[in-house]
Amino acid sequence: MKILLTGATGYIGKRLLPILAGQGHEVICCVRDKNRFYCPKEFENNVSAIEIDFLNQHSLNAIPNDIDAAYYLIHSMSGAASNYDELESISAKNFVERLNQTSAKQVIYLSGIVNDQSLSKHLSSRKNVETILGTGTFALTTLRAGIIVGSGSASFEIIRDLVNKLPVMITPKWLNTKCQPIAITDVLEFLTKSLLNPLTYHQSFDIGGPDILTYKEMLLGFAKAKNLKRWILTIPVMTPKLSSYWLYFVTSTSYKLATALVSSMKVEVICQDTKINDLLGVQPMTYEQALSRALIKVEEDQVASSWKDSLISGRFSNNISEYLKVPKKDCFIDRRKMEIMNRDFTIERIWSIGGETGWYYGNWLWNIRGFIDKLFGGVGLRRGRTNKHSIHSGDVLDFWRVLYADKEEGKLILFAEMKLPGEAWLEFKIIGNTLYQSATFRPRGIGGKLYWYSVLPFHGFIFKGMLRRLIR
C-alpha cells in the first residue's frame, strides 16, 4: 500500500517507519525539513520524504493523490507558541482539506485518553483535533493512549531521572493521580494492525496496558526494577508552577514541556474499555514488562528514538538548512587544528562526544555551564544523547543540536541551544591528515560581545585540551 506518514521525525514516527517499510508498504514521509530526516539504508527503495508545513496550506499540494491511508502523528505540545491549540486546529483542518482530494480510505490518529470531565489544555486540543479529522471523507480511526513507556519516551526519561537522582522525594499531590500506562511496543502494534482494517473504521479506541497505577506507584515500580530504595512523600501545597520547576530542574525536560505535563498529570487517563484488544488480537504487556524492555534497550544502546530529539525539547525552531552554512561575517571564531595519527580513532572519538562520554577535557567546566544554563531557563546538559556512538542530523547532543553529521566525510556541525546573547556553532572536520576544530559565535549586541570576551580565557583551556584528546 501507499502510506502517508506525518510526524516521521518524531518519537512514534521514527519507530513506525521501519515497521511499515519492512511490511513492504511504500511510505511517503511528511517532514518540515529534509535535513532532519533519516531513513535506514535497507528501506531507502520504498521510503521517500516530502517537505510539508501543515500551517501552510499550499505546501500540502506535495502530498500524492494516490495514497491508500495516512497516519496523523502531529502535535505541538510545549512548542514555542502559547496558542499551540489553535495551531493544531489549523493543521488538522488543512490536512483534512487536502486528504479529501486524495484516494485515502483511512486516517489513523494517535491521540490522548480524554475520558475525564475536566481536561487539560493539551488533552482538550487532542480531542478537538479528533473532531476535525472526523469531518473528512475518509474513515477515521482514533487510538487514544495515556502514558507511553519505552526507551526514549518522555515519561520513561522523566521517571528515570527522578528515581536515579532522588533517594527521597517531596512531591506534589498529583502523583496520586491514576493512569493506565502502555508499552511503546503495544502502541506500534495497535497502529499497524489498525491499518486499512475495516473493523476499526469510524471508531475511537482507548489503548492501555493491564495496570492502573498512580504516578507514585510508577516511580516506585521503576525503583524496584533498578533495585533501588526510594521514599516518596506527597504534599498538597506545591503549586503547578512549583511542580513545573521541580520537574525542570531535576529531569532533562524543558520548562515548557514540564508545564504541559504537570497540567495533564492532574487528569486521570484510564481506558473506558479495552475492546480493541480482542478486536485486533493484541495482549498489552504489564508496566513491569514495559520497564524491563526499555531498560534493556538503554543498556544495550539500542534506543530507536527519543523525545529529546524533537525540536520541542530545546529552543531551536527553524529549519536546520538555514544554519548549515556556518557564518563568518561579524562573528568571533576560535580556530584550531592538529595533525591526526589515526583517522578512524579520531572519527569514533568525535562521534562519541557528549552524553555519558563527556567532552574529553574540562568536563567540570562544561557541567558548570550546563547548570548556569538551567538557572536561566535553558536546556542544560541533562538531555545527553540518544545513542552513545551514532549521530544523525537533528539529534540532541547535550545543549547542542546536530546540524550535520557525515562519518565518511569526517564532518560534524553542532548548533548551541543553550541560552546565549547570540548564536553559536561548534564544527569538527577532517581534511587529509588534519583535524580542524572551530567554535563560531555570532553576537547579538554589546551583551554578546561582552559574553564572548568573558568566556575567551576558558576557550584556550577547554578547546585546546579537547582537540588533543580527540587525536590521542
Side-chain angles (χ1 to χ4, degrees):
M1 298 296 176
K2 198 168 190 175
I3 310 300
L4 187 76
L5 178 63
T6 68
T9 58
Y11 178 72
I12 302 291
K14 273 188 176 181
R15 297 184 182 227
L16 187 58
L17 172 59
I19 297 175
L20 295 173
Q23 291 174 347
H25 299 299
E26 179 184 353
V27 187
I28 314 296
C29 299
C30 297
V31 296
R32 288 192 66 178
D33 185 357
K34 284 186 180 180
N35 289 299
R36 282 190 66 227
F37 178 70
Y38 170 75
C39 176
K41 288 187 177 180
E42 61 265 36
F43 302 125
E44 285 179 348
N45 291 335
N46 56 330
V47 173
S48 59
I50 53 176
E51 288 192 343
I52 302 286
D53 179 357
F54 283 92
L55 294 174
N56 179 355
Q57 197 170 8
H58 297 294
S59 72
L60 274 70
N61 292 330
I63 295 175
N65 289 324
D66 59 342
I67 60 172
D68 295 293
Y71 284 94
Y72 195 78
L73 305 177
I74 298 170
H75 67 88
S76 306
M77 186 174 102
S78 83
S82 58
N83 63 332
Y84 67 81
D85 53 338
E86 295 176 23
L87 300 181
E88 288 188 338
S89 177
I90 294 169
S91 296
K93 288 175 183 176
N94 289 341
F95 177 78
V96 168
E97 188 171 327
R98 177 67 187 106
L99 261 285
N100 284 344
Q101 300 167 1
T102 71
S103 56
K105 303 177 189 69
Q106 181 194 29
V107 167
I108 299 174
Y109 171 48
L110 182 61
S111 182
I113 294 177
V114 288
N115 298 327
D116 200 298
Q117 291 184 344
S118 177
L119 297 176
S120 65
K121 181 180 177 181
H122 160 55
L123 290 174
S124 294
S125 181
R126 289 289 182 93
K127 190 174 183 179
N128 182 51
V129 167
E130 182 182 333
T131 301
I132 294 169
L133 295 178
T135 63
T137 56
F138 44 80
L140 176 65
T141 300
T142 303
L143 302 177
R144 298 168 172 169
I147 299 297
I148 296 177
V149 181
S151 58
S153 75
S155 306
F156 176 81
E157 296 286 345
I158 289 171
I159 289 170
R160 184 175 65 166
D161 284 347
L162 290 172
V163 173
N164 284 346
K165 295 171 184 175
L166 300 176
V168 179
M169 297 181 223
I170 309 298
T171 64
K173 62 182 179 181
W174 50 256
L175 247 72
N176 292 320
T177 303
K178 292 181 179 179
C179 62
Q180 197 163 347
I182 181 170
I184 179 61
T185 305
D186 295 323
V187 172
L188 294 171
E189 189 172 5
F190 281 121
L191 285 168
T192 51
K193 285 192 172 182
S194 296
L195 181 61
L196 295 168
N197 185 336
L199 295 175
T200 67
Y201 287 2
H202 303 291
Q203 293 192 71
S204 297
F205 302 97
D206 291 346
I207 57 173
D211 302 311
I212 297 176
L213 305 167
T214 64
Y215 292 111
K216 179 178 179 179
E217 288 170 333
M218 289 176 68
L219 288 168
L220 292 173
F222 187 95
K224 181 181 177 183
K226 293 279 289 183
N227 292 317
L228 297 171
K229 289 284 186 181
R230 292 296 181 261
W231 291 268
I232 301 175
L233 175 66
T234 56
I235 57 174
V237 294
M238 197 176 287
T239 65
K241 192 168 186 177
L242 281 175
S243 297
S244 301
Y245 278 121
W246 177 68
L247 278 183
Y248 169 63
F249 280 108
V250 177
T251 72
S252 57
T253 186
S254 66
Y255 179 71
K256 287 177 181 176
L257 183 56
T259 303
L261 287 172
V262 166
S263 176
S264 296
M265 284 174 172
K266 293 184 288 186
V267 180
E268 285 197 347
V269 282
I270 300 173
C271 301
Q272 274 188 341
D273 62 64
T274 54
K275 60 183 179 182
I276 192 173
N277 295 4
D278 295 327
L279 195 67
L280 299 182
V282 179
Q283 201 63 41
M285 65 183 71
T286 64
Y287 176 63
E288 184 179 352
Q289 290 170 325
L291 280 181
S292 178
R293 282 202 177 200
L295 288 168
I296 290 171
K297 292 291 184 184
V298 171
E299 288 168 6
E300 295 180 349
D301 193 29
Q302 293 183 352
V303 181
S305 65
S306 172
W307 75 273
K308 288 181 284 192
D309 291 329
S310 67
L311 295 184
I312 64 171
S313 75
R315 59 190 287 260
F316 195 92
S317 57
N318 296 346
N319 286 353
I320 282 176
S321 54
E322 296 178 25
Y323 292 84
L324 271 174
K325 190 174 176 63
V326 181
K328 295 179 181 178
K329 186 179 180 182
D330 300 323
C331 292
F332 295 110
I333 305 175
D334 182 305
R335 290 191 182 95
R336 299 174 190 274
K337 65 178 182 177
M338 193 172 286
E339 189 173 334
I340 62 176
M341 296 180 289
N342 184 315
R343 189 180 193 277
D344 291 339
F345 172 82
T346 298
I347 286 287
E348 289 306 316
R349 295 281 277 180
I350 293 171
W351 254 251
S352 302
I353 202 166
E356 293 179 11
T357 303
W359 292 83
Y360 298 121
Y361 200 80
N363 278 322
W364 62 278
L365 285 171
W366 287 96
N367 288 328
I368 289 173
R369 183 63 183 88
F371 177 72
I372 292 172
D373 193 50
K374 272 279 187 180
L375 289 178
F376 284 88
V379 295
L381 279 181
R382 289 204 184 107
R383 293 187 304 178
R385 49 183 291 165
T386 301
N387 300 101
K388 292 179 182 177
H389 305 293
S390 64
I391 306 174
H392 301 291
S393 296
D395 286 358
V396 153
L397 209 166
D398 290 337
F399 46 42
W400 302 91
R401 178 76 59 175
V402 179
L403 297 183
Y404 183 84
D406 190 318
K407 253 188 174 182
E408 292 183 11
E409 185 182 350
K411 186 175 180 180
L412 176 67
I413 305 177
L414 309 176
F415 180 79
E417 288 199 294
M418 65 193 87
K419 289 280 188 178
L420 288 170
E423 296 168 327
W425 290 258
L426 183 59
E427 181 179 6
F428 304 93
K429 61 181 177 181
I430 296 175
I431 301 176
N433 292 320
T434 304
L435 170 62
Y436 294 84
Q437 175 185 285
S438 302
T440 303
F441 181 68
R442 183 161 60 188
R444 188 169 54 244
I446 188 67
K449 293 177 181 179
L450 290 173
Y451 171 81
W452 173 262
Y453 288 116
S454 69
V455 299
L456 196 57
F458 301 103
H459 282 186
F461 175 74
I462 294 174
F463 290 134
K464 184 179 179 180
M466 182 170 66
L467 182 63
R468 192 168 58 247
R469 294 280 176 86
L470 289 172
I471 291 167
R472 301 186 180 92

